């Protein structure tokens, strides 16, 4: 295959197992040449991505407008600035990250040099989701490149304008033989997964995540899975609603709720449930006006299938009677109104699957204990949001629930801190990235010990003897007195 | 002999060599056990640092107090000499005591930086147990490879099911008898059995699976885990290459190579499988290797108490086949004797076996060392990189430039110069494979990471907001946000002063 960014797939050419095998072989060839190992190469690619985000911003915004109808501010917050920062910081941290980590050598092995050396896995396969098509393609790619790998990126076919733009732009800004883009859908993904990769990074839903993991098992390929789940929020009477409700509304509606980090349901202390709902209603109006359909700030649902799912959910009689705000949908524009659902049962359809829309369920709880019981009884989510001013409450949530992350008094913003590992646990995923965690995600950390042969202790060799046994025991535990006693024949 | 599963005690299934007879631990038993363990985990007791400390102390005590029982079990299963058993027992003790010294520190939340764009705010990483852990251990180091992972799982606050290998029955029995006496059996259960038991266990939903064993089984474990999105650590094997050049002290190198290679009769995932050397070095090395074999194991190693035995008859036959194969038989330069009945295999040296011979296609796992001559470092590196990534690459050379070439141009779980096996004793180094030799790592603080979820915790005070992130949006707001998040403070200043257009 010639070195080109765009592979067949979306333009009528077929991309099957043979093409996939050729692609892997081709990028492995580049990897074997060794050029992706140098810091200079890695930095050049990362600076390339940085420039791409700066120079092609308008083109990116245009593609996002077609795929998601998102506001410019949301594009900045969700995707462009994040990718830009990630590329920049990774480029400037490379020297530090690439240094071997010296560790101490244990007594038994002295003298020796012990260190941990990070090396790239080799050929990395990245599957991106459609909801943040640039972020979820380029942020993992930044990690793969920083660690010195070659990479094949398969953006989601459900965000076609973004996918096409990535395929067009990436080869212009990065080493187009080392970084390849393959467009297409499930059949292309399946073909790719038949080959052996050295690492797979997948962002998407749990069902496909399982299939990716099962396919990877055949080749013993390590996998990072960034999945989703129903993210709960909790708010009690100690929280300042003027600030908290805005933050919840923001998390709920950014990208029309199509974010793995959107709060899906809120558990509210019953004494303030009505007040909270009312405040949320007013906040949504302040964000999007009395007719949200007219607001340029509210994104649209990305795919007809996703819209149909939300529409069915909201039309379901079990749900419908609990809608207190919104509930309107429009098929032609794939519009879903910011919607508040009150007091549904925990078994209701809307509480079973990840919403992925600007819809939130508000559920009364008696207090902290009931909230924790509800959350702990469900699959582990990607994020838990706790709104309170009481540190004892925060502590209980952190200790008694498990989630990818806990964010207190805000939604989604923990994502922005590269020092924090970003990833799920249980059904919400495995592995993490961002900042140095990205570098580690795509590196094998090799243990290295270098000894000499100047010093050689006969005690280690057979044949065994009681003397040797005693000495070895003493040496292992560094019981200096014992060691001396053994040598003196006094033990 | 069948004994029914009893509440609070270890489940015991009938075990024969090969583990094929009468396994009574089925799906229902597995599900019941898992439910009880989950209930214990939910009670929160295992989160308690004092509880964890008690388990670790008891485990260390168990190793000390039952050294003789462990000796007897390993003698029965593997015919191992006292020194080699001692190393395994000490390994367990060391793992427990190292963890005891450090786990409280590691269990504390770690504060990390918060970027300016998110300030004020507090960012921390919190370690929490994954929950229900399954540890599957192999037969070659049945105590160390069960208990060192167990140390990690307990120190991080999990509940555990341990399934030791049925191929080392005396060790498996001892573990299932001893662990309930020393550990909280509501939190730690041992299940004995063979493939059916393994299957019943793998069908359950675990929060983490830790598997040490062969590559083929590793694939099955990962595939089973994928159904429940269970993260796995796989400690597998491979053909570990050893390169030696003329700068090495051949006498000492030979002693280290032979004593390392013949540890546990070569049934160690870390020992060299084959040696790569130039013709000249090989010619000078082989006499030293032979001398070392004689020095350590005598002229008739079958009478040596320090040489372990092969685990079972079928493995002896496997090794016999590898050596006696048409392509290989003529290459024997030392040893080659074996006896199926006594499970004995002599320390054996082969020279220049054809690369496509059966012995070069599989991990040997026996006291058989193949020496392959190469033209030099380049060919050695090519041979290594043409093969699946091994657990360890060994380089015997005093030239740093040579060592650096292997370090940079080959990939493996670990790289060691001038030593065999002992790098695993340094608990500061991560222990694990890459590619077909495995995924994930443990020992020391890496065990802590292996069995924990590192939860990100971010706290924002209820202060003023960067209101610009809320709708309705404006062009100016967009520019300011960009400047803030990019750290472009000069642009930001201009924007705020109204001196920059948008």
């Amino acid at each position: 295959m010639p070195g080109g960014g765009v592979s067949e797939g979306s333009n009528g050419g077929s991309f099957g197992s043979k093409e996939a095998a050729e692609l892997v072989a081709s990028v492995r060839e580049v990897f074997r040449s060794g050029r992706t190992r140098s810091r200079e190469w890695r930095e050049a690619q990362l600076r390339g991505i940085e420039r791409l985000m700066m120079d092609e911003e308008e083109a990116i915004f245009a593609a996002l407008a077609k795929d998601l109808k998102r506001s410019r501010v949301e594009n900045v917050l969700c995707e462009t600035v994040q990718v830009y920062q990630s590329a920049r910081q990774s480029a400037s941290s490379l020297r530090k990250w690439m240094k071997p980590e010296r560790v101490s050598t244990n007594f038994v092995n002295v003298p020796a040099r012990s260190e941990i050396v990070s090396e790239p896995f080799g050929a990395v396969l990245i599957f991106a989701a459609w909801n943040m098509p640039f972020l979820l393609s380029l942020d993992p790619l930044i990690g793969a490149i920083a660690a010195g790998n070659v990479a094949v990126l398969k953006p989601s076919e459900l965000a076609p304008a973004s996918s096409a733009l990535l395929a067009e732009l990436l080869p212009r800004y990065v080493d187009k033989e080392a970084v390849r883009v393959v467009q297409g859908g499930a059949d292309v993904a399946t073909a790719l997964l038949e080959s052996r990769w050295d690492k797979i990074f997948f962002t998407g839903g749990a069902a496909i995540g399982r299939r990716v993991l099962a396919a990877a098992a055949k080749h013993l390929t390590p996998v990072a899975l960034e999945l989703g789940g129903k993210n709960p929020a909790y708010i009690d009477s100690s929280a300042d609603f003027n600030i908290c409700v805005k933050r919840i509304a923001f998390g709920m509606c950014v990208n029309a709720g199509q974010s793995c980090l959107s709060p899906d349901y809120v558990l509210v202390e019953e004494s303030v449930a009505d007040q909270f709902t009312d405040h949320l209603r007013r906040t949504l109006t302040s964000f999007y006006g009395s007719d949200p359909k007219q607001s340029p700030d509210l994104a649209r649902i990305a795919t007809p299938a996703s819209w149909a799912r939300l529409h069915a959910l909201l039309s379901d009689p079990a749900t419908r009677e609990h809608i207190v705000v919104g509930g309107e949908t429009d098929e032609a524009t794939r519009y879903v109104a910011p919607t508040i659902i009150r007091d549904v049962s925990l078994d209701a359809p809307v509480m079973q699957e990840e919403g992925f829309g600007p819809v939130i369920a508000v559920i009364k709880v008696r207090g902290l204990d009931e909230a924790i019981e509800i959350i702990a009884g469900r699959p582990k989510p990607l994020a838990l949001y706790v709104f309170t001013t009481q540190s004892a409450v925060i502590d209980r949530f952190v200790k008694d629930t498990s989630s990818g992350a806990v964010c207190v008094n805000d939604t989604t913003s923990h994502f922005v801190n590269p020092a924090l590992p970003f990833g799920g646990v249980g059904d919400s995923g495995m592995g993490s990235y961002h900042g140095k965690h990205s570098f580690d995600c795509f590196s094998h950390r090799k243990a290295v010990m270098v000894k000499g042969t100047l010093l050689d202790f006969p005690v280690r060799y057979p044949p065994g003897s009681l003397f040797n046994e005693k000495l070895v025991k003493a040496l292992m535990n560094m019981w200096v007195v014992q060691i001396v006693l053994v040598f003196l024949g006094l033990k | 002999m069948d004994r029914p599963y009893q509440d609070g005690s270890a489940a015991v299934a009938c075990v024969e060599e090969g583990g094929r007879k009468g396994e009574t631990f089925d799906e229902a038993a597995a599900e019941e056990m898992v439910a009880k363990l989950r209930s214990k985990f939910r009670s929160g007791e295992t989160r308690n640092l004092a509880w964890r400390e008690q388990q670790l102390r008891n485990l260390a005590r168990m190793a000390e107090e039952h050294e003789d029982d462990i000796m007897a079990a390993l003698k029965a299963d593997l015919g191992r000499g006292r020194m080699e058993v001692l190393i395994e027992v000490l390994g367990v003790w060391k793992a427990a005591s190292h963890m005891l010294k450090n786990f409280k520190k590691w269990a504390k939340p770690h504060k990390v930086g918060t970027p300016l764009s998110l300030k004020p705010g507090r960012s921390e990483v919190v370690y929490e147990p994954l929950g229900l852990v399954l540890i599957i251990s192999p037969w070659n180091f049945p105590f160390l490879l069960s208990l060192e992972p167990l140390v990690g799982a307990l120190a991080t606050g999990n509940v555990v099911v341990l399934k030791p290998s049925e191929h080392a029955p005396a060790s498996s029995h001892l573990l299932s008898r001893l662990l309930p006496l020393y550990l909280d059996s509501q939190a730690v259960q041992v299940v004995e059995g063979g493939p059916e038991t393994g299957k019943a266990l793998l069908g359950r939903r675990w929060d983490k699976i830790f598997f040490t064993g062969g590559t083929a089984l590793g694939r099955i474990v990962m595939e089973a885990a994928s159904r429940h999105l269970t993260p796995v650590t796989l400690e597998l094997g491979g053909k570990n290459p050893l390169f030696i050049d003329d700068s090495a002290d051949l006498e000492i190198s030979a002693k280290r190579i032979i004593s390392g290679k013949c540890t546990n009769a070569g049934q160690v995932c870390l020992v060299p499988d084959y040696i790569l050397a130039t013709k000249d070095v090989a010619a000078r090395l082989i006499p030293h290797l032979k001398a070392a074999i004689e020095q350590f194991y005598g002229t008739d190693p079958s009478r040596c108490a320090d040489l372990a035995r092969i685990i079972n008859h079928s493995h002896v036959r496997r090794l016999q086949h590898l050596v006696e194969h048409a392509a290989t038989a003529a290459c024997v330069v030392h040893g080659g004797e074996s006896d199926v009945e006594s499970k004995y295999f002599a320390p054996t040296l082969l020279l220049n076996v054809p690369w496509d011979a059966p012995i070069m296609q599989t991990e040997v796992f026996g006291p058989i060392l193949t020496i392959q001559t190469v033209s030099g470092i380049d060919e050695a590196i090519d041979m290594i990189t043409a093969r699946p990534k091994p657990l360890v690459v060994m380089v015997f050379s005093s030239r740093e430039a040579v060592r650096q070439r292997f370090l940079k141009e080959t990939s493996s779980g670990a790289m060691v110069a001038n030593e065999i096996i002992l790098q695993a004793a340094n608990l500061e180094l991560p222990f694990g494979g890459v590619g077909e030799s495995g995924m994930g790592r443990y020992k020391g603080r890496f065990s802590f990471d292996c069995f924990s979820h590192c939860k990100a915790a971010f706290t924002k005070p209820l202060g003023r907001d960067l209101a610009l992130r809320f709708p309705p949006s404006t062009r100016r707001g967009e520019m300011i946000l960009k400047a803030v998040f990019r750290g472009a403070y000069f642009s930001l200043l201009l924007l705020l002063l109204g001196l920059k257009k948008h």
Side-chain angles (χ1 to χ4, degrees):
Chain A
M1 272 191 83
V6 182
S7 304
E8 303 91 303
S10 59
N11 290 355
S14 73
F15 187 91
S17 339
K18 180 160 154 290
E19 287 74 23
E22 279 167 11
L23 178 60
V24 180
S26 164
V27 295
R28 278 234 168 78
E29 193 63 46
V30 177
F31 182 73
R32 263 197 294 270
S33 77
R35 78 165 179 267
T36 67
R37 310 293 295 258
S38 76
R39 192 187 53 76
E40 289 75 17
W41 180 88
R42 304 182 202 191
E43 191 178 335
Q45 312 318 307
L46 295 173
R47 298 280 176 215
I49 293 177
E50 208 186 305
R51 269 195 329 273
L52 190 164
M53 299 314 286
M54 282 287 264
D55 298 347
E56 306 288 349
E57 195 178 67
E58 290 307 318
I60 291 171
F61 282 12
L64 287 170
K66 282 209 197 91
D67 288 334
L68 288 151
K69 292 206 184 43
R70 224 196 267 148
S71 73
R72 294 176 65 92
V73 166
E74 282 195 3
N75 288 336
V76 167
L77 284 174
C78 293
E79 302 208 51
T80 58
V81 91
Q82 183 72 10
V83 174
Y84 174 85
Q85 275 298 73
S86 181
R88 218 161 86 115
Q89 283 169 357
S90 301
S92 54
S93 305
L94 276 176
R95 212 182 286 268
K96 185 173 59 171
W97 292 347
M98 285 173 69
K99 265 218 291 261
E101 181 191 342
R102 263 307 167 96
V103 297
S104 61
T105 301
N106 59 327
F107 187 68
V108 157
N109 279 311
V110 158
R113 181 179 90 232
S114 303
E115 55 188 22
I116 304 170
V117 171
S118 288
E119 58 180 35
F121 282 116
V124 171
L125 174 61
I126 298 171
F127 288 113
W130 49 263
N131 57 328
M132 309 264 179
F134 291 92
L135 178 71
L136 302 175
S137 304
L138 298 175
D139 214 359
L141 181 62
I142 286 166
I145 289 173
N149 298 281
V150 291
V152 170
L153 169 63
K154 192 198 104 40
S156 172
E157 74 282 16
L158 298 174
S162 305
S163 174
L165 190 64
L166 276 166
E168 186 199 322
L169 290 181
L170 266 177
R172 284 199 240 140
Y173 287 85
V174 301
D175 181 337
K176 61 177 189 275
E177 284 168 11
V179 178
R180 310 279 276 270
V181 181
V182 180
Q183 296 199 73
D187 48 343
V188 171
T190 307
L192 287 166
L193 284 171
E194 280 168 25
S195 290
R196 185 178 69 80
W197 299 89
D198 301 307
K199 176 92 188 197
I200 297 176
F201 189 100
F202 171 85
T203 309
I208 304 183
R210 278 189 188 88
R211 300 219 303 263
V212 170
L213 196 50
K218 295 199 188 76
H219 300 288
L220 290 169
T221 301
V223 180
L225 298 174
E226 296 275 332
L227 309 177
K230 291 184 80 62
N231 300 318
Y234 171 82
I235 187 162
D236 67 15
S237 50
S238 77
D240 180 344
F241 281 17
N242 287 318
I243 296 170
C244 296
V245 176
K246 272 217 192 98
R247 295 176 178 180
I248 292 175
F250 172 78
M252 165 197 165
C253 295
V254 70
N255 205 30
Q258 297 164 111
S259 162
C260 55
L261 288 177
S262 300
D264 213 276
Y265 61 102
V266 190
L267 303 170
V268 194
E269 222 183 328
E270 49 188 2
S271 58
V272 290
D274 292 334
Q275 187 192 344
F276 171 80
T277 309
D278 196 56
H279 209 121
L280 185 56
R281 175 207 314 262
R282 284 186 278 120
T283 305
L284 289 171
T285 309
S286 79
F287 281 5
Y288 305 110
S290 47
D291 183 11
K293 209 165 172 206
Q294 305 303 322
S295 166
D297 289 319
L298 182 65
R300 294 294 181 266
I301 304 304
T303 67
S306 201
W307 179 90
R309 180 183 54 81
L310 283 162
H311 173 76
L313 205 59
L314 295 174
S315 319
D316 184 333
T319 319
R320 187 149 209 92
E321 57 176 354
H322 294 276
I323 295 177
V324 296
V325 170
E328 299 89 21
T329 61
D330 173 49
E331 190 168 4
T333 52
R334 293 204 293 274
Y335 165 77
V336 172
T339 300
I340 305 175
I341 302 174
R342 270 298 296 265
D343 301 322
V344 276
S345 101
L346 295 168
D347 306 314
V350 74
M351 288 301 288
Q352 295 316 306
E353 46 169 271
E354 193 174 357
F356 238 60
V359 177
I360 202 164
V362 175
I363 297 174
K364 280 196 302 237
V365 290
R366 282 184 301 277
L368 179 59
D369 291 317
E370 192 185 348
I372 287 180
E373 205 185 310
I374 291 172
I375 294 167
R378 291 168 157 265
K380 299 175 183 179
L382 194 54
L384 164 65
Y385 301 113
V386 181
F387 290 85
T388 181
T389 50
Q390 301 174 74
S391 51
V393 169
I394 299 171
D395 280 346
R396 283 274 327 263
F397 273 102
V398 172
K399 289 201 175 79
D400 295 346
T401 67
S402 182
S403 53
V406 178
C407 191
V408 180
N409 294 329
D410 202 351
T411 57
T412 76
S413 54
H414 62 285
F415 172 87
V416 174
N417 185 354
L420 285 172
F422 183 79
V425 63
D427 285 8
S428 52
M430 55 180 77
S432 62
Y433 71 130
H434 284 184
K436 174 135 200 291
H437 308 285
S438 288
F439 182 83
D440 291 339
C441 177
F442 292 101
S443 297
H444 164 54
R445 300 187 73 211
K446 183 154 77 176
V448 178
M449 180 180 282
V450 178
K451 254 194 197 181
T453 45
L454 246 62
L455 268 122
D456 196 51
F457 299 108
V459 68
R460 53 179 292 175
Y461 299 120
S465 68
L466 204 52
F467 172 83
N468 285 1
E469 272 182 51
K470 292 198 173 118
L471 188 58
V472 166
K473 268 191 193 160
L475 281 170
M476 274 282 237
N477 303 321
M478 278 172 60
W479 294 325
V480 184
V481 174
Q482 313 260 26
I483 296 170
V484 173
L485 288 177
V486 171
F487 265 112
L488 293 177
L490 293 174
K491 195 169 156 75
Chain B
M1 198 200 317
D2 292 348
R3 258 185 277 159
Y5 169 67
Q6 281 171 317
D7 186 20
S9 67
V12 176
C14 182
V15 174
E16 301 284 317
E17 181 173 315
R20 272 160 289 127
K21 280 230 204 121
E23 297 181 38
T24 58
F25 188 83
D26 59 6
E27 308 260 327
E31 196 56 52
E32 199 188 326
M33 169 184 273
V34 162
K36 288 200 169 83
L37 286 163
R38 271 208 196 282
S39 167
K40 174 73 175 188
F41 181 72
R42 264 198 294 270
S43 78
E45 196 182 348
T46 65
R47 313 290 297 258
N48 197 315
L49 293 181
W51 180 90
R52 304 184 203 182
E53 184 169 4
Q54 193 58 52
Q55 304 308 304
L56 294 172
R57 284 202 192 286
N58 290 352
L59 207 49
R61 226 171 15 100
M62 185 185 96
E64 268 180 307
E65 288 173 6
H66 290 270
E67 190 183 299
D68 290 335
D69 289 330
I70 295 173
M71 286 268 175
L74 287 170
K75 186 96 195 137
D77 285 333
L78 284 153
R80 240 198 257 158
R82 291 185 60 87
M83 273 298 268
E84 288 186 3
V85 173
L86 189 61
I87 303 296
E88 185 166 357
V89 172
L90 285 174
V92 173
W93 186 89
K94 194 84 190 156
S97 65
H98 181 83
M99 188 58 83
L100 272 165
K101 264 203 227 93
N102 292 291
F103 87 98
K104 285 187 183 157
K105 174 182 64 179
W106 292 337
K108 280 214 270 275
H110 299 329
K111 190 148 181 280
V112 298
T114 302
L116 213 53
S117 54
L118 285 184
K119 281 201 203 306
R122 184 193 162 81
S123 308
E124 265 183 354
V125 174
V126 174
Y127 283 88
E128 56 182 36
L130 287 163
L132 187 54
V133 174
L134 173 64
I135 297 174
I136 301 174
S137 59
W139 49 260
N140 59 333
F141 285 89
F143 294 93
L144 185 63
L145 300 177
S146 301
L147 301 177
E148 190 161 19
L150 183 61
V151 162
L154 289 174
T156 45
N158 297 284
V159 291
V160 186
V161 171
L162 169 65
K163 191 207 143 326
S165 171
E166 72 278 20
H167 297 295
S171 305
S172 175
H173 288 334
L174 186 61
L175 279 166
S176 81
R177 186 168 65 80
L178 287 183
L179 283 177
L181 299 176
Y182 284 83
L183 301 179
D184 181 345
S185 46
Q186 288 186 320
V188 182
Q189 293 271 322
V190 182
V191 181
E192 295 196 81
E196 288 308 310
T197 304
K199 200 152 153 255
L201 287 169
L202 283 173
R204 314 274 65 77
R205 196 175 151 273
W206 303 91
D207 297 308
K208 173 88 192 196
I209 299 177
F210 185 100
F211 172 83
T212 310
T215 314
L217 262 178
R219 283 194 181 88
I220 293 173
V221 169
M222 188 173 168
E223 204 271 331
S226 73
R227 284 181 230 129
H228 299 287
L229 291 170
T230 300
V232 301
T233 293
L234 303 174
E235 299 276 336
L236 309 176
K239 292 181 76 61
N240 301 319
L242 185 156
F243 175 81
I244 182 164
D245 73 8
D246 59 348
S247 72
D249 178 324
L250 293 183
E251 190 191 331
I252 293 181
S253 300
K255 284 163 82 168
R256 289 184 182 179
I257 291 171
I258 291 300
S259 63
K261 173 70 181 183
C262 296
T263 304
N264 209 31
Q267 297 160 115
V268 187
C269 55
L270 291 175
V271 293
D273 203 277
Y274 62 104
I275 292 180
L276 297 165
T278 57
K279 200 151 157 237
D280 171 63
V281 172
R284 288 191 288 128
L285 177 67
I286 289 174
H288 286 294
L289 293 173
K290 291 184 183 181
I293 292 172
E294 191 170 320
Q295 182 187 345
F296 299 153
Y297 308 108
T299 42
D300 183 4
S302 68
R303 303 160 87 89
C304 177
D306 288 313
L307 181 65
R309 293 294 181 263
I310 306 302
I311 186 69
N312 59 32
H313 299 156
S314 70
H315 273 276
V316 180
R317 286 191 212 103
R318 179 183 66 85
L319 293 171
Q320 282 177 334
H321 168 78
L322 289 177
V323 171
E324 289 160 16
H325 188 270
T328 323
C331 306
V332 178
V333 295
H334 187 93
E337 303 88 18
S338 57
D339 175 50
V340 174
E341 201 43 52
S342 59
K343 299 187 280 185
Y344 164 73
F345 210 101
T348 300
L349 302 174
L350 302 171
L351 178 61
N352 279 327
V353 165
W355 285 97
D356 57 3
I359 198 173
M360 291 309 287
Q361 306 311 313
T362 174
E363 188 177 359
V364 175
F365 233 60
I368 302 160
L369 192 54
T370 309
I371 299 123
Q372 305 289 82
T373 57
V374 288
S375 53
I377 299 178
D378 289 331
E379 194 186 347
I381 290 179
D382 284 343
M383 285 298 156
I384 295 171
T385 54
R387 294 183 154 62
K389 297 176 183 179
L391 199 50
V392 59
V393 166
M394 289 153 278
V395 180
F396 277 69
S397 170
S398 57
R399 299 190 181 109
E400 182 61 15
V402 169
R403 301 193 291 239
Q404 283 296 316
R405 277 205 63 190
F406 280 92
L407 177 60
K408 294 204 164 83
E409 296 176 44
T410 68
S411 182
S412 51
M415 193 218 109
V416 184
N418 300 319
E419 190 53 271
I420 315 280
I421 301 177
L422 284 183
Q423 74 278 6
N426 185 355
L427 299 180
E428 299 295 321
L429 286 172
F431 186 85
V434 64
E436 285 182 44
S437 53
M439 59 179 73
R441 51 190 184 252
Y442 75 124
K443 291 197 191 253
R445 67 186 155 104
F446 304 100
S447 283
F448 216 81
D449 293 339
C450 177
F451 294 103
S452 297
H453 166 53
C454 300
K455 181 158 79 177
F458 178 64
T459 307
K460 235 185 170 351
L462 290 171
R464 292 208 28 84
D465 254 316
L466 195 57
L468 294 167
R469 66 168 166 151
F470 301 132
S473 62
T474 62
R475 256 332 256 278
R476 182 167 178 272
E478 178 198 325
M479 304 284 291
I480 291 177
L481 277 173
K482 271 193 243 185
V484 167
F485 281 99
R486 286 193 187 145
Y489 298 116
F490 186 63
S491 284
L492 179 60
L493 188 62
L494 293 179
L495 276 166
L496 291 174
L497 292 174
L499 294 172
K500 194 170 155 118
K501 280 214 202 316
H502 49 83

